[in-house]
Amino acid sequence: MDINTENYVNEARKELENPGSRMFLDFFLPVLSAVREIGMGSFPDPAAALARARAIRKKSVADLGRLLTTFEKNAVKAGAKVFWAETAHEANAYIRDLVNRHKIPYVTKGKSMITEELGLNDFLAKNGTPVFETDLGEFIIQLLEKPPFHIIGPAINIPTDQISRIFMEKAGMKDPSSDPVALGQAAREFLRDKFRHMRLGITGVNLAVAETGSIVNVENEGNIRFNKSAPDIQVSIMSLEKVVENLDEALHMIRVLCRNGTGQKITSYVTVDTGPRKPDEPDGPSELHIVILDNGRSRIYQNPKTREVLQCIRCGACINVCPVFRKVGGYPYGWAYTGPIGKLLNPLLLGLDRTQDLYGACTLCKACKTVCPAGIDHPSMILYLRNRNMNQDPE
């Protein structure tokens, strides 16, 4: 995707004057925060569950080198092929070469923030390989050529009449409809044909388990499971901080992630995969490629002041409570990550000089820190970035 972080102020002003955005943000984000509270309240001891999640993420990042080495060893032992990508270009080029080598006509993809960061869709399209998003929200914004509005619901702000028009124009829907069921059915019919003939599927990774070499995904639609089980070749892309020690830690983090993301105790689908399909198994790919992406994270890790940001599990809880996001929404951030985590990740990955409006637009209210299940102190890190910027220290 295009990077447009320098235009934050102008885009924010547009959204402040957009009555549709205002109505949506005023209603929906408080609802998301409320269902999170209900979800976390379903733990027997919510405070203990939160404390354990924060301890797991802190420990995992502190021991990142060993965990990644162990994960690679066990993933390879299980039959996966692991590729370490230092940059976005290296990751994209590896997938492009895989596509070319196997003469893949098109690619299907599950919802993934890391592929947004890579700009993978545009990269493969320039290679002559179409990419079809299979998450409903991602499918909608792909057709509309828009960036994700929210980390959990990328198209959650798009009116149904606009979705109807784009489905009729680009997805083969015959009759206009604002009925969500009819719109879902139209997307289903279009994408099922792509699933039926797909040969290579791409997904992200919610968590990687060092002890077993397993990769874990959570979702509510089933498209990620399709992309992982149906094609002959499957590519899972993870940023290097996603690893935890064992399945017990992974399952606890999944319980916390689901409650903080959508308020659910658990999502409709939780998929744990260890290696490609075995000879006696009916489903799964014959080749599993795991791409471990750095793309600036080693630099973040080496700085004790910024390392904590790698604890993030992409649940979106901080976004829902942020007073700035509640006014301007996700488009002004201009890249893959929005809200409080976007104010940190975007500058640290892209550079402080082209993102200063992002970390400048913070009230330091500490709501993000309060709800974060990964234990990130967003306000302190934002102050650190502001100090570096004031002292002209972009690195």
Side-chain angles (χ1 to χ4, degrees):
M1 66 182 295
D2 293 334
I3 299 172
N4 192 30
T5 53
E6 294 94 336
N7 207 30
Y8 178 89
V9 173
N10 289 335
E11 292 300 317
R13 284 175 177 155
K14 287 181 186 177
E15 291 304 304
L16 284 170
E17 296 172 1
N18 183 337
S21 292
R22 294 281 356 106
M23 185 168 60
F24 169 80
L25 291 165
D26 288 344
F27 168 76
F28 191 74
L29 294 187
V31 171
L32 278 179
S33 294
V35 298
R36 173 200 173 269
E37 290 294 323
I38 295 169
M40 286 302 296
S42 67
F43 276 120
D45 187 340
L50 202 57
R52 187 185 177 205
R54 290 168 173 170
I56 289 171
R57 289 308 295 148
K58 183 175 182 179
K59 176 175 70 74
S60 298
V61 170
D63 203 13
L64 195 55
R66 181 186 67 82
L67 292 178
L68 284 169
T69 301
T70 303
F71 170 75
E72 179 188 28
K73 180 187 73 174
N74 288 324
V76 170
K77 184 179 178 181
K81 300 177 182 180
V82 176
F83 177 74
W84 296 81
E86 184 175 348
T87 65
H89 180 77
E90 286 184 9
N92 287 337
Y94 179 84
I95 298 168
R96 177 201 61 200
D97 293 346
L98 188 63
V99 165
N100 291 343
R101 187 163 67 250
H102 290 275
K103 297 181 171 55
I104 304 294
Y106 67 86
V107 166
T108 60
K109 189 165 77 64
K111 183 178 182 298
S112 162
M113 295 305 298
I114 200 68
T115 56
E116 297 282 355
E117 177 183 329
L118 292 174
L120 179 63
N121 289 9
D122 290 341
F123 187 92
L124 289 180
K126 290 175 183 176
N127 180 59
T129 308
V131 179
F132 294 96
E133 294 284 356
T134 59
D135 171 85
L136 180 57
E138 291 287 346
F139 178 61
I140 292 167
I141 64 170
Q142 183 182 35
L143 296 182
L144 290 171
E145 299 180 3
K146 286 180 173 288
F149 184 82
H150 190 285
I151 195 171
I152 299 298
I156 205 161
N157 63 312
I158 307 296
T160 53
D161 59 341
Q162 188 176 357
I163 297 171
S164 177
R165 289 194 298 271
I166 199 68
F167 277 13
M168 292 182 68
E169 179 184 340
K170 296 184 178 181
M173 193 168 85
K174 294 180 175 56
D175 300 313
S177 175
S178 293
D179 176 23
V181 175
L183 294 172
Q185 182 63 29
R188 182 190 187 100
E189 291 174 1
F190 180 88
L191 292 171
R192 279 301 170 94
D193 183 63
K194 307 305 176 186
F195 281 133
R196 189 174 297 117
H197 303 290
M198 70 175 172
R199 294 173 52 204
L200 188 150
I202 298 175
T203 69
V205 174
N206 287 109
L207 289 168
V209 184
E211 185 178 71
T212 59
S214 306
I215 48 180
V216 186
N217 291 89
V218 298
E219 57 168 331
N220 279 315
E221 295 179 17
N223 62 86
I224 290 176
R225 185 167 289 186
F226 254 125
N227 279 292
K228 294 181 80 174
S229 62
D232 193 51
I233 303 166
Q234 204 274 316
V235 180
S236 291
I237 310 170
M238 58 176 275
S239 50
L240 54 79
E241 74 272 19
K242 291 298 185 76
V243 68
V244 294
E245 180 80 55
N246 52 47
L247 276 171
D248 181 61
E249 290 186 354
L251 291 174
H252 182 74
M253 294 310 306
I254 290 301
R255 294 184 187 104
V256 172
L257 169 61
C258 295
R259 285 169 166 86
N260 279 272
T262 60
Q264 297 168 278
K265 292 181 180 178
I266 202 75
T267 51
S268 301
Y269 300 90
V270 177
T271 309
V272 181
D273 293 285
T274 308
R277 181 181 70 238
K278 307 299 186 294
D280 60 340
E281 293 177 335
D283 299 311
S286 61
E287 289 185 27
L288 171 61
H289 298 257
I290 302 174
V291 178
I292 302 177
L293 179 70
D294 186 327
N295 206 32
R297 287 167 174 81
S298 291
R299 184 180 66 252
I300 294 172
Y301 184 84
Q302 289 164 4
N303 185 344
K305 297 282 190 180
T306 59
R307 183 180 301 169
E308 193 176 90
V309 76
L310 298 178
Q311 295 171 200
C312 177
I313 59 172
R314 310 289 192 273
C315 66
C318 65
I319 298 173
N320 301 330
V321 299
C322 175
V324 176
F325 188 95
R326 285 188 174 191
K327 293 297 182 184
V328 303
Y331 294 148
Y333 292 85
W335 202 39
Y337 307 108
T338 61
I341 193 61
K343 297 175 192 290
L344 300 177
L345 268 180
N346 293 352
L348 292 170
L349 293 174
L350 298 174
L352 302 190
D353 53 339
R354 62 189 303 188
T355 57
Q356 57 184 335
D357 289 331
L358 272 65
Y359 54 88
C362 176
T363 67
L364 301 176
C365 69
K366 300 185 180 180
C368 48
K369 176 184 176 181
T370 301
V371 300
C372 179
I376 299 171
D377 186 347
H378 307 73
S380 293
M381 208 175 304
I382 285 170
L383 287 174
Y384 170 70
L385 295 182
R386 289 177 178 177
N387 182 65
R388 273 176 51 180
N389 182 58
M390 181 175 293
N391 290 304
Q392 298 184 330
D393 177 21
E395 295 299 326

